[in-house]
Amino acid sequence: MICELVKRGKKVGITANSHKVIRGLLDKVVEAACEMNVDLICIQKPKSGEHEPDQDRLKFVTDNAGVCAALGVRDGAGGRGNPLSLVARRCT
């Protein structure tokens, strides 16, 4: 469903009770995007203190400002301490 929405030009926000749940979903979205030939990029704000290198379709930001920049908005991404992620069409 996420890949289909992105294919239609939508941005998809994801929130969950844990960063691990979001990461698992993002891994599945990336896998499905490859199978469906959907050009997308996922952005995740991982748990504080955890960091890994960016991947081709999965990028990491360290704060809400990074999420806002990815969304193209000034304020308001995520709540206090809520795991947050974004899936959107790749910018070209």
Side-chain angles (χ1 to χ4, degrees):
M1 179 184 281
I2 291 172
C3 288
E4 187 59 38
L5 289 169
V6 171
K7 196 173 174 181
R8 295 179 186 184
K10 304 292 184 184
K11 293 179 184 173
V12 179
I14 300 167
T15 186
N17 292 330
S18 75
H19 296 275
K20 186 176 180 178
V21 169
I22 288 178
R23 180 55 189 275
L25 177 59
L26 292 178
D27 288 342
K28 293 293 184 182
V29 167
V30 168
E31 183 180 317
C34 290
E35 291 172 5
M36 296 172 64
N37 200 26
V38 175
D39 191 20
L40 61 71
I41 188 165
C42 301
I43 300 163
Q44 183 177 17
K45 181 182 130 188
K47 191 174 185 177
S48 182
E50 293 182 7
H51 183 70
E52 62 182 280
D54 287 346
Q55 301 173 19
D56 183 47
R57 294 179 182 238
L58 179 58
K59 309 294 182 195
F60 299 96
V61 295
T62 57
D63 55 21
N64 284 351
V67 176
C68 288
L71 287 169
V73 297
R74 288 184 166 201
D75 299 311
R80 253 185 7 208
N82 290 347
L84 178 69
S85 186
L86 167 75
V87 182
R89 182 174 300 278
R90 183 179 302 274
C91 298
T92 54

